Amino acid sequence: MPADFELDVVVVGGGGHVGLPLAIALADRGARVGIYDLSAATVELINEGVVPFLEPDAEPMLRAALAAGRLTATTDAAIVGTAENVVVVIGTPVDEHLNPDPNAIPHALGQCSAYFRDGQLLVLRSTVYPGVTALVERMVADLGVDIPVAFCPERIAEHKAMVELFSLPQIVSARTTEGRDRAAKLFGRLTDQIVHLEPEEAELAKLFTNTWRYIKFAAANQFYMIANDKGLDFEKIRTGLMHDYPRASDMPGAGFAAGPCLFKDTMQLAAFSDNTFNLGHSAMLVNEGLPLYIVSRLEKRFDLSQLTVGILGMSFKAQSDDIRSSLSYKLRRVLKFKAKAVLSTDPYVSEETDDTLLPLELVLEKADILVIATPHPEYRDLVTDKPVADVWNSLGAGVVV
Ligand SMILES: NC(=O)c1ccc[n+]([C@@H]2O[C@H](COP(=O)([O-])OP(=O)(O)OC[C@H]3O[C@@H](n4cnc5c(N)ncnc54)[C@H](O)[C@@H]3O)[C@@H](O)[C@H]2O)c1
C-alpha cells in the first residue's frame, strides 16, 4: 500500500444496515477504517459507540474498534481521499413506479469524486442495476484518475451480519487483474473463500440470489392460498411432504415476504429483462397480495366493520426493528379501511420509528381478533381466547385463516 494513505478502507454509506457491519468487521480484522455517511445523526451515534439499528454482536465490536482507534465516522467527504480502498454501500431502492435508478451510485460517487486519487481501488458493494459497474468505470475514466473498479456484492442477511461477513464466500469481480487481485485481498481479510466472476455476471448473481429466494417464498405463499381456500392446513401438508424427503427440504413456510431487498431486487431484474420477467412479476403479485388475501379471508368469517383487529409484529422479519417495506404496514392500511379499529404492537420497533404502536397486553385486551404479522419469538407463548390469524404457525396450532 502506498504510504500516504492514512486508512485502509473508507465505506461510503457506512452508517447503513450493511455498510456499518462491514466497516466494523474490517476494523475487527485489523484494518484502519473510515465511515463516510450523509446522515449526521447516524455518524454521531457511531462515534459514540452506538449501532443505530438492531444487529446482534455489532455494538461490542464497534466499541472495541473505536477504542483501538481503528474506526471513525464522518459526514465530511474528504475522508474518501484518505483511504486506499473506497467501498460504496449506499441504498439502491426502486422508485414508486418500481423502476431502479441506475444513476443512484454514480450520483452518490459524484458527491465525493473530487477526493478520488490515483492508486485507490473503488469497490461497489450495493446491489446494483446490471450495467452500473460499467457506468462507474466510464465515470472514473472520465475523471482521469487511475482507479480500478470492482463489484463485490454484499450477501449477508440483516441480524446475521457479524457471523455471515466472516463465513459467506465473497463474490469478487473486476475488469482488470489488478482490480480483481486487490478486491480479493481486501475481502481476504474476512474470508478465504473468494469466488471470481466477471462484473456483469456478478451483478446478475446478486439479483438472481435475492430473486430466487423471493420466488421460493411466493411459491409457498401460493400453495398456502390454494390449500387454505379448501380449508386445509398448508403447514401440516408442508411438514408431511418434507418429512425425510430431501428434494423438498427447502420448501419455505408461508408468510409475509418483504423487507428492503427481495422485492426491489426482483423488480430490478424485471426492469433489466425489459419487463418480460413473468415469474418475477407473478412472485410479486403473490407475495404482495398475501396481506389482502388474509383480510379477504377474515372478511368471510367476521364482520370486520364491527371489530377491532390487533396486528402483532410490524417489522419485516422476526427479531428485527427494520420496518422498511414491511407488509405489516400494508396489512394495517387495508384493515384500517375495513375494520372498526386497528391496533398494532411490536416489541422491537421503537416509538421513534412508529409512535402509534401499543404494548402487547393492551392490544391483546382491546382487540377482537388478532393477526400475527411478524413471527417474533415473543408470540410463541401467546395465551388468548381471541381468534388468531397465524400464517406463520407461531402458535403451532396451524395456519388456516
Ligand atoms: N439490508 C440488507 O439486508 C442488505 C443485504 C445485502 C445487500 N444489501 C444492499 O446494500 C445496499 C445498502 O442497503 P442498506 O440496507 O444498508 O441501506 P441503508 O439505507 O440502511 O444504508 C445506506 C446508508 O447510506 C447513506 N447514504 C445514502 N446516500 C449516501 C451518499 N451519497 N453518500 C454517503 N452516504 C450515503 C445513508 O445515510 C445510509 O446510512 C443496497 O444496495 C442493498 O440492496 C442490503
Side-chain angles (χ1 to χ4, degrees), residues 239-295:
T239 318
L241 74 87
M242 285 171 65
H243 183 76
D244 271 351
Y245 191 72
R247 279 185 291 284
S249 62
D250 62 344
M251 185 182 288
F256 291 166
C261 290
L262 302 189
F263 168 79
K264 66 105 175 156
D265 288 344
T266 305
M267 292 305 101
Q268 295 213 71
L269 192 56
F272 180 65
S273 64
D274 296 328
N275 289 311
T276 58
F277 185 25
N278 300 335
L279 196 54
H281 278 129
S282 299
M284 185 258 278
L285 293 176
V286 173
N287 286 334
E288 288 288 306
L290 188 57
L292 294 106
Y293 173 81
I294 287 171
V295 173

Side-chain angles (χ1 to χ4, degrees), residues 173-369:
S173 73
R175 202 81 56 195
T176 63
T177 311
E178 185 199 346
R180 249 193 317 272
D181 291 350
R182 287 178 61 183
K185 187 170 160 230
L186 174 64
F187 289 103
R189 286 178 180 270
L190 303 181
T191 173
D192 51 12
Q193 292 194 72
I194 303 289
V195 179
H196 289 283
L197 290 175
E198 294 303 316
E200 285 68 31
E201 294 167 344
E203 289 173 340
L204 280 180
K206 172 61 196 181
L207 291 183
F208 287 167
T209 305
N210 278 0
T211 302
W212 175 238
R213 206 163 143 71
Y214 192 66
I215 289 172
K216 281 206 284 192
F217 289 141
N221 285 333
Q222 182 99 70
F223 294 163
Y224 166 72
M225 294 181 213
I226 291 170
N228 195 67
D229 280 341
K230 304 293 177 200
L232 297 171
D233 186 337
F234 171 63
E235 192 52 25
K236 189 172 170 208
I237 299 168
R238 185 179 81 98
T239 318
L241 74 87
M242 285 171 65
H243 183 76
D244 271 351
Y245 191 72
R247 279 185 291 284
S249 62
D250 62 344
M251 185 182 288
F256 291 166
C261 290
L262 302 189
F263 168 79
K264 66 105 175 156
D265 288 344
T266 305
M267 292 305 101
Q268 295 213 71
L269 192 56
F272 180 65
S273 64
D274 296 328
N275 289 311
T276 58
F277 185 25
N278 300 335
L279 196 54
H281 278 129
S282 299
M284 185 258 278
L285 293 176
V286 173
N287 286 334
E288 288 288 306
L290 188 57
L292 294 106
Y293 173 81
I294 287 171
V295 173
S296 73
R297 292 294 303 181
L298 290 174
E299 275 182 306
K300 284 193 168 64
R301 285 170 56 196
F302 305 102
D303 179 2
L304 291 181
S305 67
Q306 302 301 312
L307 299 176
T308 296
V309 183
I311 302 179
L312 311 189
M314 299 306 288
S315 60
F316 85 87
K317 68 174 180 179
Q319 293 178 289
S320 169
D321 60 349
D322 193 347
I323 62 164
R324 292 179 296 169
S325 303
S326 167
L327 285 173
S328 302
Y329 283 85
K330 187 170 196 171
L331 177 72
R332 187 161 84 175
R333 246 187 341 267
V334 180
L335 281 170
K336 274 189 172 162
F337 190 61
K338 309 249 183 186
K340 186 174 88 179
V342 185
L343 309 174
S344 35
T345 179
D346 192 299
Y348 296 87
V349 178
S350 70
E351 199 187 338
E352 237 170 37
T353 305
D354 183 346
D355 64 5
T356 69
L357 300 186
L358 299 169
L360 175 62
E361 295 68 34
L362 198 62
V363 174
L364 293 181
E365 185 199 321
K366 301 265 184 222
D368 301 302
I369 51 178

Side-chain angles (χ1 to χ4, degrees), residues 89-134:
V89 209
I90 62 153
T92 49
V94 290
D95 69 13
E96 67 274 33
H97 306 294
L98 306 182
N99 296 313
D101 178 4
N103 288 311
I105 303 281
H107 178 74
L109 287 176
Q111 294 169 331
C112 53
S113 60
Y115 300 99
F116 286 0
R117 295 165 54 189
D118 288 345
Q120 289 183 307
L121 171 73
L122 179 58
V123 178
L124 308 182
R125 193 158 177 78
S126 299
T127 305
V128 300
Y129 185 72
V132 165
T133 309

